[in-house]
Amino acid sequence: MPPAESSSQKVVVLGGGIAGLTAARELARKGHSVTVLESGDRWGGLGTWFNWRGHALDQFYHCQMPSDADLLELIRDLGLGDSLYWKPTRMGFVVGGRRYAFNGPMDLLRFNPLTFPERIRFGVISLLLRRLGLGKDLDRTRIEDWLVSCYGRAVWQKILRPLFTSKFGPAAGDMPALYIWERLGREKNTVSRGYLRGGLKLFLDTLVDDLRNRKVDLRLETRVDRIHETGRTLQIDAGSTRIEADWCVSTLPLPVLRHCLGDTPLAQRIKSPDVPYQGVVNAMFFLRRPLDNFYWAPVVDSGTEFDGIVEMTELVETSHYGGHHVAYVMKYCDRSSALFQEDSERIAARWKGQLLALYPDLNLQPSDVVDVQVFKAPFVEPAYPLGYSELKPLIHDGQSRIFLATSAQVYPKITAWNSSVRLAKEVAGTLLAHMETGMVERTPERVPATVQV
Ligand SMILES: Cc1cc2nc3c(=O)[nH]c(=O)nc-3n(C[C@H](O)[C@H](O)[C@H](O)COP(=O)(O)OP(=O)(O)OC[C@H]3O[C@@H](n4cnc5c(N)ncnc54)[C@H](O)[C@@H]3O)c2cc1C
């Protein structure tokens, strides 16, 4: 039941990605007065869309997994259950310029980059890997140490190291093994993936309409640059506008939050570890012809700057893209890197040559590439240090009026819409309980560093 008028509180949500919009919905449902501030000119954050020749398309490849329970519940709750469909998809692997199917025992037996004994070991260990992690303190075990102990150094060097380095940079081997252990729980090689007919725009339009109906004040192109706490009120500055609130939920990436807190007393109280973030450069290719029909194929040691190919039309009808086949290729990198800073047109031209060179047998011609759209995002996820379960920011410091729901807190879950929805619900629930009791809640429980059955 909504609270009485007098108990309705004013909450400002920072960031209009999936986490911010979900938190706003949870709070507005309980009758609170909610404002969402988003710096971009569209909703959705990393899961946003753009207009291509009259088609509303996802900027970054997105699909749903059957295990995305919180997201699927939200989709159904918004009345979009019938728009969601599932399709089995396949995986490939490109090593040394050669393309391999990578979907099961027969593919593994043909996977030449590994010797025959390495293939057998790879297959057996992969089946057992989640069990092999049980009872271990994987949060404090380096990925490299754990995977070398399981698979052997040769498999690490040939396949696994390039895979992780491409996503997290040279320090990838130093990250906690817990991250990969969790990831194995979400992804399999051959798996049904889900997609909403209508793409991310349909989802966002429906969610934003729902928020409007709940009287949420939604403001685009409103970049927050300072947050102050004065007594029982928060002041949030965005350009020349100052907004006062009782509470704030921040979904901003940690470096942006730190900037907004500046040297205010709040900065001392709110734990925001200075972890390096990976960004992404992502190019979307519109093609006249299909590639290999693998939804996802990592690319290692193949003379490309990008390190993965997602052939989206393996999952989504070509009619969604005006009859074109679509492949996204991506490189995760630091926002200060030369690649991230480079002009998008130059990246598109160079990556087009690199992509075509991977498929000599298909005799793809430059004219088969109808268009290339490059998108970049500076903050995708942290390259987590060892022991991150202890380092990650708390939802609430127990005293201030700010609650945190940033993707840097979903660890050890992987960075995904489902993780952000789940976190946003948890944070909104914590704030609601805090408002109700007026009491300082207990410090949220940490994810146990030891993996338990
Ligand atoms: C290439 C790529 C592929 C992906 N594929 C998938 C997938 O297949 N499935 C899946 O589930 N997930 C996928 N993800 C992950 C998913 O997109 C993210 O986990 C999710 O969108 C994070 O949502 P969020 O709201 O937590 O953060 P964000 O989306 O980052 O939202 C933060 C918001 O804050 C805004 N902001 C920043 N600074 C300010 C400021 N100063 N003032 C106001 N607003 C500000 C930003 O503009 C942004 O909208 C993918 C991500 C990428 C990059």
Side-chain angles (χ1 to χ4, degrees):
M1 186 190 293
E5 187 71 15
S6 58
S7 58
S8 168
Q9 309 251 326
K10 175 150 190 190
V11 188
V12 172
V13 176
L14 311 183
I18 183 70
L21 297 177
T22 305
R25 185 167 188 262
E26 294 296 308
L27 294 161
R29 271 156 76 127
K30 297 291 178 187
H32 295 290
S33 158
V34 184
T35 300
V36 185
L37 307 179
E38 163 58 43
S39 58
D41 61 0
R42 295 233 163 88
W43 301 108
L46 293 175
T48 197
W49 59 279
F50 73 108
N51 199 327
W52 186 79
R53 303 185 184 178
H55 303 277
L57 306 179
D58 307 347
Q59 273 190 0
F60 301 109
Y61 54 94
H62 272 72
C63 70
Q64 279 79 61
M65 305 298 259
S67 53
D68 289 349
D70 294 270
L71 176 62
L72 298 180
E73 186 186 296
L74 177 59
I75 287 173
R76 282 192 295 270
D77 210 28
L78 290 170
L80 293 173
D82 290 345
S83 303
L84 183 68
Y85 67 89
W86 297 93
K87 192 179 166 196
T89 55
R90 299 186 315 137
M91 179 180 170
F93 214 134
V94 187
V95 187
R98 289 198 55 190
R99 307 183 327 264
Y100 302 87
F102 206 70
N103 298 291
M106 294 314 290
D107 289 341
L108 183 59
L109 288 175
R110 286 188 285 260
F111 190 65
N112 289 334
L114 301 182
T115 63
F116 191 72
E118 286 164 0
R119 289 175 227 169
I120 302 292
R121 182 170 181 179
F122 187 89
V124 173
I125 295 293
S126 297
L127 286 175
L128 298 174
L129 198 59
R130 281 212 20 121
R131 295 205 134 264
L132 292 175
L134 294 175
K136 294 205 164 66
D137 181 1
L138 293 181
D139 189 41
R140 293 182 185 282
T141 306
R142 295 173 66 244
I143 283 187
E144 177 173 355
D145 294 344
W146 188 51
L147 292 183
V148 167
S149 73
C150 294
Y151 286 107
R153 181 140 313 264
V155 173
W156 166 258
Q157 295 283 10
K158 290 184 195 176
I159 301 295
L160 300 173
R161 190 182 60 78
L163 259 183
F164 291 118
T165 312
S166 64
K167 176 123 198 216
F168 287 105
D174 298 331
M175 287 176 48
L178 186 58
Y179 173 84
I180 193 66
W181 189 88
E182 278 286 339
R183 201 170 179 127
L184 291 171
R186 184 173 187 263
E187 294 180 8
K188 307 252 180 327
N189 291 3
T190 311
V191 74
S192 271
R193 288 184 155 84
Y195 194 77
L196 271 179
R197 276 187 198 86
L200 293 173
K201 182 171 189 296
L202 170 75
F203 177 83
L204 291 165
D205 284 353
T206 312
L207 180 49
V208 166
D209 278 350
D210 178 274
L211 294 178
R212 284 206 179 98
N213 290 336
R214 297 177 194 278
K215 308 268 183 294
V216 174
D217 177 7
L218 293 157
R219 304 192 197 177
L220 289 170
E221 299 185 81
T222 307
R223 180 178 298 280
V224 176
D225 36 48
R226 193 53 96 223
I227 308 167
H228 315 264
E229 192 174 275
T230 51
R232 295 179 59 80
T233 321
L234 278 170
Q235 291 175 341
I236 293 141
D237 294 341
S240 56
T241 310
R242 170 163 289 183
I243 299 157
E244 300 219 323
D246 298 308
W247 308 99
C248 162
V249 173
S250 172
T251 71
L252 306 180
L254 295 180
V256 180
L257 175 68
R258 274 198 301 279
H259 164 80
C260 292
L261 295 176
D263 54 5
T264 64
L266 269 181
Q268 308 300 321
R269 295 223 299 273
I270 293 176
K271 182 172 158 185
S272 164
D274 190 3
V275 285
Y277 267 77
Q278 286 291 80
V280 73
V281 176
N282 161 104
M284 186 175 180
F285 282 80
F286 295 81
L287 303 161
R288 289 192 208 285
R289 295 162 49 194
L291 299 175
D292 272 338
N293 299 116
F294 297 136
Y295 176 79
W296 179 51
V299 181
V300 301
D301 298 333
S302 297
T304 62
E305 287 164 272
F306 52 83
D307 48 47
I309 303 171
V310 171
E311 195 169 351
M312 205 65 203
T313 32
E314 166 73 356
L315 176 61
V316 185
E317 296 285 321
T318 51
S319 57
H320 184 67
Y321 306 99
H324 298 95
H325 295 266
V326 160
Y328 292 87
V329 306
M330 78 300 296
K331 173 73 191 164
Y332 289 88
C333 55
D334 189 280
R335 61 194 178 282
S336 64
S337 65
L339 177 68
F340 194 90
Q341 299 292 329
E342 192 180 355
D343 174 68
S344 291
E345 280 186 19
R346 288 180 51 179
I347 297 174
R350 209 168 55 244
W351 285 16
K352 176 175 168 180
Q354 294 174 9
L355 185 75
L356 294 180
L358 284 182
Y359 299 88
D361 50 322
L362 300 187
N363 195 24
L364 284 174
Q365 301 300 315
S367 58
D368 288 320
V369 179
V370 175
D371 193 20
V372 187
Q373 295 282 327
V374 173
F375 297 101
K376 301 174 183 174
F379 302 108
V380 177
E381 67 183 323
Y384 302 105
L386 279 188
Y388 187 70
S389 291
E390 290 295 320
L391 299 174
K392 76 174 179 178
L394 299 172
I395 287 176
H396 188 220
D397 66 322
Q399 291 178 3
S400 71
R401 298 191 156 260
I402 300 190
F403 287 68
L404 302 190
T406 92
S407 54
Q409 293 163 275
V410 301
Y411 175 93
K413 298 285 176 224
I414 76 159
T415 312
W417 266 32
N418 187 62
S419 311
S420 289
V421 169
R422 185 174 147 156
L423 175 68
K425 284 181 166 176
E426 186 187 347
V427 171
T430 310
L431 171 54
L432 287 166
H434 191 82
M435 289 173 181
E436 223 161 76
T437 60
M439 284 161 53
V440 174
E441 80 276 12
R442 282 179 300 126
T443 302
E445 279 175 29
R446 298 277 183 191
V447 174
T450 303
V451 172
Q452 293 179 352
V453 196

